Amino acid sequence: MRRGIPRFGRTLASRILFAVLGIVVVTMAVGFGFYIRLTGQAADAQATEQATSVAATVGRMPEVAAALRDGDPRHELAQLAEKIRAATQASYVVIIDRDGLRYSHPNPSLVGQRIEEPVVALDGQVHTGIDDGSLGRSANSRAPVLDASGRPVGEVSVGILESEVGVRVSAEVADIALYSLLALGLGVLASILLARAIKRVTFGVEPAEIVALVQEREAMLHGIREGVLGVDADGAINVLNDEARRLLGLEGARLGQAVEDVLPQGRLRRVVTGEVDGTDLVAVTDEHLLVLNRMPVVVGGRDAGWVVTIRDRTELEGLLRQLDSVEGLTTALRAQEHEFSNRLHVLAVLLEMGEVEEATQYSQQLWQETSLVSEEIRSRIAAPVVVALLLAKTTVAAERDVLVRLDPESHVEADDVEGLPVTTVLGNLVDNAVDAVADDPRTAGRHPRGEVTVTLASREGALHLTVVDSGPGIPADRIGDVFVDGYSTKSPRGVMRRGVGLALVHRLVTRSGGTITASSPGGARFDVSLPIRVREGAA
């Protein structure tokens, strides 16, 4: 699906840029405000301290006290105050006598006039504060003028205007503003680098596209009828749709768990982890016959893990095996039809020739041949389903020139096989045995090519089933592999998959609480033991 180009302001880079800029601007604004406030307070304190120092110094000068006592006849105090103001960079230095009369002031028109407020320094203490005087708002300090005996005779009021303090603060604010712009520039650069790093990790996909991809992925994964299992490069599950949970029996599995922690030991786990390589690999579970394909995932030249697709072929495989059995029976019936047709022709010719006695003997001979095997099996096996299976397998095997016979020691009651997977187990074992004998190149041209012996007997509360063939047997080093999914010595036939039958048999026997073993004394031998289920109400 093709996506439109994201508009500016919606791209990942622009969002990160705006976010970082917002954080930096807000942070700098708040910090700047606090800094101006603290700097202003510090500047006011410094101005007040400076004014106090100047006022206290002037108040201790003997000539100031003497001039105030005499009424400053020479007008020396105004000149002295101006010199001190210029030397100390104070905004004003006002000398006042006990009666509040000004002897100096930056505004000459106020010299000789009384102040409106009381002369507070006559108590001998220094008074500081913010004063709203005639020159404006200022940091003010008032110190007493002491005579030779230490008695207050007036006061000195020194102030530094707020405008002067503002000039000092503004000089420092310019430096802070420059620092703020530098920090803002670094924030922009960092946001651009961060956006590029994130886009590199996300392969250039924008947030809106990521959301759309996740929604599409979820809809697709949970809408298909195939299982999908995604594993990252570390072996942890990061994709697991509902069908995969059902087929693999992972209803309780969580994303992020390792494959080894949720799948049991066996062929299924080896296929998923890649220990078994190939396409359309078969694995058998307790409930399903699965076909798996594992594909590695490479993104941007990096190994991102792998994806396993899982298909359930349980029903299809069962139908294919049934079809194969039906085809075998059809072939056998077609061959028997041809044989019966020949026999009928013989009888017809004998009757046309008037050889009635000879025809009667011939028909009795045919009846004995066809009923002998059936009667022999029925006399030992009381279960009709098992009898029918053995007769069908015997007929099919005969067409392949293989003799299937029932061991004379066999004996099974009808109730012994109730609730047990006897037909499936016996049918698979006999089919494998017939294939092994019929395909043995050592017996080519021999009649019959070999035989398969079946033994069924119930004893000690268990049904014992043995199938022995005269084929080439099982290699000694592969006996332990015959029940593994996918193991087979035969080539595939059509769409049917090899290496599944014995694995299914093993699982059926195990689930029924029985055992199955394989050996190769000459040909192949399989021994199965299934516990007989006691019927309710039975003694």
Side-chain angles (χ1 to χ4, degrees):
M1 182 180 298
R2 185 177 179 181
R3 309 181 190 280
I5 299 175
R7 290 181 295 177
F8 184 76
R10 295 185 179 181
T11 64
L12 181 61
S14 61
R15 290 184 179 184
I16 294 176
L17 177 61
F18 291 150
V20 172
L21 285 178
I23 293 173
V24 171
V25 169
V26 171
T27 303
M28 295 302 297
V30 173
F32 195 67
F34 277 114
Y35 179 80
I36 291 177
R37 179 181 177 184
L38 294 175
T39 302
Q41 292 175 350
D44 288 342
Q46 182 181 3
T48 301
E49 183 179 353
Q50 180 182 355
T52 300
S53 176
V54 173
T57 301
V58 174
R60 293 189 184 97
M61 295 175 67
E63 58 268 29
V64 174
L68 283 179
R69 186 181 64 246
D70 298 336
D72 191 20
R74 299 180 181 180
H75 304 289
E76 296 175 349
L77 291 180
Q79 297 177 359
L80 178 63
E82 180 60 25
K83 290 180 180 179
I84 293 174
R85 186 197 67 77
T88 60
Q89 296 183 346
S91 298
Y92 58 84
V93 177
V94 179
I95 301 174
I96 306 168
D97 65 8
R98 296 178 61 88
D99 300 324
L101 186 66
R102 298 186 183 97
Y103 284 87
S104 67
H105 197 280
N107 185 359
S109 63
L110 296 179
V111 176
Q113 296 185 13
R114 299 184 184 278
I115 60 175
E116 297 176 357
E117 66 273 8
V119 183
V120 296
L122 293 177
D123 60 0
Q125 302 295 325
V126 177
H127 296 266
T128 60
I130 303 299
D131 181 37
D132 293 321
S134 60
L135 297 179
R137 187 177 179 83
S138 63
N140 177 260
S141 179
R142 297 184 179 189
V145 177
L146 304 176
D147 60 10
S149 62
R151 184 171 62 89
V153 296
E155 74 175 11
V156 178
S157 177
V158 178
I160 299 177
L161 293 176
E162 191 176 58
S163 57
E164 296 292 334
V165 177
V167 171
R168 300 177 188 178
V169 173
S170 299
E172 297 183 9
V173 167
D175 295 335
I176 298 301
L178 181 61
Y179 167 77
S180 300
L181 291 176
L182 179 61
L184 187 63
L186 291 176
V188 172
L189 179 61
S191 66
I192 294 174
L193 295 178
L194 178 61
R196 289 183 179 179
I198 294 176
K199 292 195 71 172
R200 184 165 57 252
V201 173
T202 59
F203 305 102
V205 182
E206 296 294 338
E209 295 176 306
I210 294 176
V211 173
L213 287 173
V214 170
Q215 293 174 343
E216 292 172 3
R217 190 196 73 164
E218 290 300 312
M220 178 188 68
L221 287 179
H222 298 288
I224 60 177
R225 291 296 300 167
E226 285 192 358
V228 178
L229 172 66
V231 184
D232 63 19
D234 297 325
I237 299 173
N238 55 17
V239 176
L240 183 65
N241 70 346
D242 296 337
E243 187 68 4
R245 290 182 183 273
R246 183 183 72 86
L247 296 177
L248 299 178
L250 302 180
E251 285 77 8
R254 303 184 307 275
L255 298 182
Q257 286 186 287
V259 173
E260 289 78 2
D261 295 338
V262 297
L263 290 179
Q265 282 282 0
R267 177 177 171 83
L268 177 60
R269 191 166 95 175
R270 293 198 300 273
V271 171
V272 171
T273 57
E275 296 178 34
V276 179
D277 193 19
T279 58
D280 291 340
L281 298 174
V282 177
V284 180
T285 67
D286 290 342
E287 303 292 338
H288 306 284
L289 188 150
L290 307 176
V291 178
L292 302 96
N293 282 283
R294 180 182 183 274
M295 296 296 293
V297 177
V298 179
V299 180
R302 294 177 294 171
D303 180 17
W306 63 89
V307 174
V308 180
T309 57
I310 309 157
R311 288 173 289 160
D312 185 6
R313 286 181 59 99
T314 307
E315 295 182 2
L316 179 58
E317 194 71 20
L319 292 173
L320 289 174
R321 291 184 176 276
Q322 290 180 12
L323 179 60
D324 184 66
S325 299
V326 171
E327 288 180 352
L329 286 173
T330 303
T331 302
L333 290 174
R334 188 179 298 112
Q336 286 188 346
E337 178 189 7
H338 180 70
E339 183 177 354
F340 289 153
S341 177
N342 290 337
R343 291 174 177 178
L344 288 175
H345 284 142
V346 172
L347 281 174
V349 172
L350 288 175
L351 292 175
E352 287 180 2
M353 294 173 58
E355 300 290 341
V356 177
E357 183 178 353
E358 186 70 21
T360 301
Q361 293 178 355
Y362 182 67
S363 62
Q364 289 177 348
Q365 179 184 353
L366 294 178
W367 178 81
Q368 290 177 353
E369 290 178 357
T370 55
S371 62
L372 183 60
V373 175
S374 175
E375 292 300 325
E376 181 182 3
I377 295 176
R378 288 177 181 177
S379 65
R380 294 182 174 87
I381 308 298
V385 175
V386 179
V387 172
L389 176 66
L390 287 174
L391 288 175
K393 298 300 181 183
T394 300
T395 302
V396 173
E399 294 304 318
R400 302 183 67 182
D401 205 12
V402 176
L403 176 63
V404 176
R405 68 183 188 88
L406 183 66
D407 191 291
E409 300 297 326
S410 299
H411 181 77
V412 175
E413 298 295 335
D415 295 339
D416 295 342
V417 300
E418 187 173 340
L420 296 177
V422 176
T423 55
T424 302
V425 173
L426 181 59
N428 273 283
L429 293 179
V430 172
D431 285 343
N432 286 341
V434 171
D435 287 342
V437 173
D439 297 337
D440 188 358
R442 300 175 305 169
T443 60
R446 188 185 304 173
H447 178 75
R449 300 194 63 166
E451 67 178 34
V452 175
T453 303
V454 178
T455 304
L456 284 166
S458 54
R459 60 180 181 272
E460 300 177 355
L463 176 65
H464 297 275
L465 187 156
T466 302
V467 177
V468 182
D469 65 62
S470 60
I474 306 171
D477 59 338
R478 302 307 300 272
I479 289 180
D481 298 330
V482 293
F483 299 120
V484 176
D485 308 344
Y487 173 79
S488 179
T489 59
K490 296 176 285 187
S491 58
R493 185 172 67 223
V495 294
M496 284 192 60
R497 299 176 184 276
R498 295 297 190 181
V500 176
L502 287 178
L504 288 173
V505 168
H506 183 270
R507 279 163 173 74
L508 287 174
V509 172
T510 303
R511 289 174 60 186
S512 299
T515 59
I516 180 171
T517 58
S519 59
S520 186
R525 177 188 176 101
F526 291 90
D527 293 283
V528 179
S529 177
L530 294 169
I532 297 175
R533 299 181 181 179
V534 179
R535 294 177 300 166
E536 295 183 2

